[in-house]
Amino acid sequence: MNSKTATSAYPVTRARLIADLKEIATEAKKHGDLAAADEALELAWRIAEAEFENHTLQ
């Protein structure tokens, strides 16, 4: 595997995951499932926070 390609693709994958989790939270809220919405947003936040920490440490 080309490490340059894998490294550059990784943040895009993470960004897509965060966007998907936000969509899940929105849909869950529309259907009244606030626990699922909160969980999805919490996961999105944790992923974003980890991404920030990884960039800060480099």
Side-chain angles (χ1 to χ4, degrees), residues 13-56:
T13 302
R14 211 176 253 206
R16 180 65 198 180
L17 179 57
I18 291 169
D20 288 349
L21 285 166
K22 288 180 179 181
E23 287 181 39
I24 290 168
T26 299
E27 286 300 312
K29 188 176 178 184
K30 285 181 188 176
H31 294 283
D33 192 346
L34 298 181
D38 284 347
E39 186 69 22
L41 288 175
E42 174 65 24
L43 288 170
W45 178 255
R46 290 168 70 184
I47 293 166
E49 193 173 50
E51 179 73 8
F52 175 76
E53 289 175 5
N54 285 341
H55 283 266
T56 304

